[in-house]
Amino acid sequence: MHKLALVIDDPVILSQWDDAVKRSTGVVRSTEEEADAVITYAVSAVQKSIQRGLHVLVCFDEAIASSVLHELSISCQKASVQLMVASHLRFSPAIQQICNSLEIGQLGEPGVVRIHRWLPSGKGDMQARLTDEIGLAIGMFGVRPNTVYGCSNGDEENYVHAHLGFPDGGMALIDVSLTLPPGDDYYSFSLIGSDGSAYADDHHNVHLMYAGGMPCAHRNPTDPVLNRIAMLEAFSRLLTGTDKVTCDIPALLSAKKVMSTVVQSIQSNQSWMLSQDGETYVCS
C-alpha cells in the first residue's frame, strides 16, 4: 500500500482528490513526512518531492516551459523516482473505455482519430488545449506523427485545425475552437480501427462502439471523481511495477513539440515532416 500526500492548496480540488484516494485501491492518504508519493499542482513541490526521493503524480495547472520539463525529467532519472502527469481527458470514463477496448484488440489497429474541442471565448488557452488533444491522439497510435499540417481562419489564437499523419497510414484530425458564445462546451472523439470503431461526445455518460452487428451504447457514471480514481489506480500500478507510465514528461514534451509544429505549419502554410533523427520536424 503506497502512502500518498496531497500537496494541494485549493480546498475544493483537495477534497476531490481526498475522496478519490479513499475510493481507490493501492494508495492511502498520508502526511508529507511519512509519504512515499505525492500529488501536487506546483512545480516547486514537484522539485522538492524529487529531491526527497518521492514519486509524483503532478497536475500542471498552467503552461510549463519545455526547458523546465526537461530539467524535471533529468532529476527524476537521477533520483530514480517515477513521475506521472495527470490527464483528466485521458482518464475520463468514456475515453478510458475506448482506450481499454483498443488495448485489448477489440477495435484492431487505429486508423483514424477525429477530435472536436469547442469552447466559449476566453475559456482556456489554445496551445494548452491543443497540446491535450494531440497528446491523446499520440497515445492512441503509440507513436509520434511523421507528418504535421495545421490551418486556421486567420485567428490561430482562437481556432486551429491540425492534421497529423502517422506511420502505416494512420491519421488524426483535431479541431479546436475558442469561439463559441457563452454557455456549454462541445466535445466529440471518434476512433476508427481496422476491426471496429468507437465514438464519445460531451454526453459524458454515453458513447457508442461499432464492432460488427448493432452499435453498442456504453453508459458511464457521471461521478466527477472517477477520472481521478482512474489516475490513482494507474499511478499505483506504475509504482508496483505492474504497468508502464504512458502519461509522463516525455509524452508531454512530445505533444508540445507537435503542437509547436502545428503552429509553424500554420505560419508557413506548409506541411512539416519528422526528420530522420526522430525528434525534430522540418518544413517539407
Side-chain angles (χ1 to χ4, degrees):
M1 185 70 71
H2 295 284
K3 297 179 180 179
L4 190 62
L6 304 181
V7 186
I8 301 170
D9 293 331
D10 188 304
V12 175
I13 296 177
L14 175 62
S15 176
Q16 292 173 339
W17 277 109
D18 183 58
D19 187 15
V21 170
K22 291 175 181 176
R23 295 163 58 184
S24 299
T25 59
V27 295
V28 62
R29 187 171 177 182
S30 174
T31 63
E32 286 189 68
E33 291 72 22
E34 297 179 345
D36 51 33
V38 301
I39 298 177
T40 187
Y41 283 66
V43 172
S44 59
V46 174
Q47 294 168 329
K48 177 182 176 181
S49 299
I50 294 173
Q51 291 172 357
R52 295 180 55 203
L54 303 179
H55 306 295
V56 182
L57 173 57
V58 58
C59 315
F60 291 122
D61 57 359
E62 60 183 15
I64 306 298
S66 294
S67 58
V68 175
L69 293 173
H70 278 295
E71 292 174 0
L72 291 176
S73 182
I74 293 172
S75 296
C76 287
Q77 294 176 8
K78 290 181 178 179
S80 298
V81 303
Q82 298 280 6
L83 186 147
M84 176 175 163
V85 179
S87 171
H88 291 279
L89 175 63
R90 168 66 174 80
F91 288 95
S92 65
I95 299 299
Q96 274 280 283
Q97 178 68 45
I98 294 174
C99 290
N100 293 340
S101 297
L102 184 64
E103 289 169 2
I104 64 176
Q106 289 183 335
L107 305 178
E109 294 299 319
V112 178
V113 167
R114 185 75 170 100
I115 300 173
H116 292 285
R117 167 69 76 182
W118 301 344
L119 301 110
S121 298
K123 188 173 181 180
D125 173 77
M126 170 57 74
Q127 293 193 0
R129 295 290 188 176
L130 188 57
T131 299
D132 285 345
E133 305 302 340
I134 288 172
L136 180 59
I138 292 175
M140 294 295 166
F141 288 95
V143 64
R144 186 184 295 187
N146 50 17
T147 305
V148 175
Y149 179 74
C151 60
S152 183
N153 59 358
D155 182 12
E156 61 195 62
E157 295 297 320
N158 290 301
Y159 177 79
V160 169
H161 178 84
H163 187 160
L164 312 179
F166 291 86
D168 300 322
M171 73 171 75
L173 305 173
I174 302 172
D175 192 65
V176 180
S177 173
L178 305 180
T179 60
L180 290 183
D184 292 339
D185 308 346
Y186 173 73
Y187 184 78
S188 70
F189 177 96
S190 303
L191 186 150
I192 301 174
S194 56
D195 295 329
S197 58
Y199 170 81
D201 63 17
D202 57 356
H203 297 88
H204 292 302
N205 62 328
V206 177
H207 69 281
L208 296 175
M209 294 184 63
Y210 299 82
M214 292 295 292
C216 179
H218 288 262
R219 184 173 296 276
N220 293 294
T222 57
D223 187 339
V225 179
L226 288 178
N227 56 356
R228 289 180 168 84
I229 295 174
M231 281 187 276
L232 283 174
E233 293 183 348
F235 189 47
S236 178
R237 292 193 301 271
L238 171 66
L239 298 186
T240 56
T242 57
D243 200 358
K244 62 180 181 180
V245 62
T246 55
C247 298
D248 56 7
I249 287 180
L252 177 56
L253 285 169
S254 180
K256 286 171 68 70
K257 180 65 177 178
V258 175
M259 179 275 297
S260 297
T261 306
V262 170
V263 174
Q264 290 177 305
S265 175
I266 293 171
Q267 295 170 347
S268 65
N269 197 30
Q270 298 288 329
S271 60
W272 287 60
M273 307 291 292
L274 187 63
S275 61
Q276 292 185 348
D277 65 12
E279 292 294 331
T280 57
Y281 287 89
V282 294
C283 187
S284 60

